Amino acid sequence: GRSATRSDVMTTACLDETLVQAFVSATLAPAARREVEDHCDDCDDCRRLVVALVRRAAPVTPPTMPPTK
């Protein structure tokens, strides 16, 4: 048979954390980003992993309060 390509692996297996980290940090090529997005559309576990890593990567800033008069 033919050897598996990254595309084959991504559509049949869940994403690994290294790949998700690259997705979150925007270092993946556009085609790979689309593959991750497509996989997450169908996989709740990977979607939750992406959300968790995005939240962890987001800077924590306190909400700004409007000036009081």
Side-chain angles (χ1 to χ4, degrees):
R2 67 183 184 89
S3 60
T5 64
R6 175 170 280 281
S7 181
D8 292 335
V9 171
M10 290 181 69
T11 57
T12 59
C14 285
L15 309 172
D16 65 36
E17 190 166 346
T18 303
L19 184 62
V20 175
Q21 286 282 10
F23 176 82
V24 169
S25 64
T27 58
L28 285 180
R33 288 188 65 79
R34 277 191 300 278
E35 290 182 18
V36 169
E37 291 165 353
D38 289 346
H39 179 83
C40 287
D41 286 343
D42 297 326
C43 181
D44 290 339
D45 291 337
C46 288
R47 184 170 40 252
R48 282 192 289 270
L49 176 60
V50 169
V51 169
L53 291 176
V54 166
R55 287 182 179 158
R56 190 183 322 156
V60 178
T61 55
T64 56
M65 300 301 286
T68 57
K69 292 185 179 186

